[in-house]
Amino acid sequence: PHGAGAAQEAAGPVLQSVLIAPHAGGRRIAVIDGQTVRLGERFKGALLASVTGNQVVLVQGKQRQVLKLSVAGVPSAPTP
């Protein structure tokens, strides 16, 4: 495999965003490699088992993978 897609695949999935509804029982959604995945749905065969404010857990069989939000490249909030 060649190209940027192959390099990204080798490095593993990237967690880009997490969306959590503020009310009890609200939606929990992760954006992984540009794909929107809801809690309980599958991403490339792995179940999205947990979504928190800064990380998600993917489970496939007995394997468990934790993806964390990266803060690299995110501009800091302007100071007043």
Side-chain angles (χ1 to χ4, degrees), residues 15 17-18 20 51-56 66-71:
L15 178 61
S17 181
V18 172
I20 300 175
V51 178
T52 62
N54 65 346
Q55 71 180 29
V56 301
V66 177
L67 305 180
K68 295 185 179 187
L69 278 175
S70 171
V71 292

Side-chain angles (χ1 to χ4, degrees), residues 31-55:
V31 179
I32 307 169
D33 290 348
Q35 182 179 331
T36 301
V37 186
R38 287 183 168 84
L39 183 65
E41 291 184 345
R42 294 197 175 269
F43 173 78
K44 295 187 179 179
L47 178 71
L48 182 60
S50 172
V51 178
T52 62
N54 65 346
Q55 71 180 29

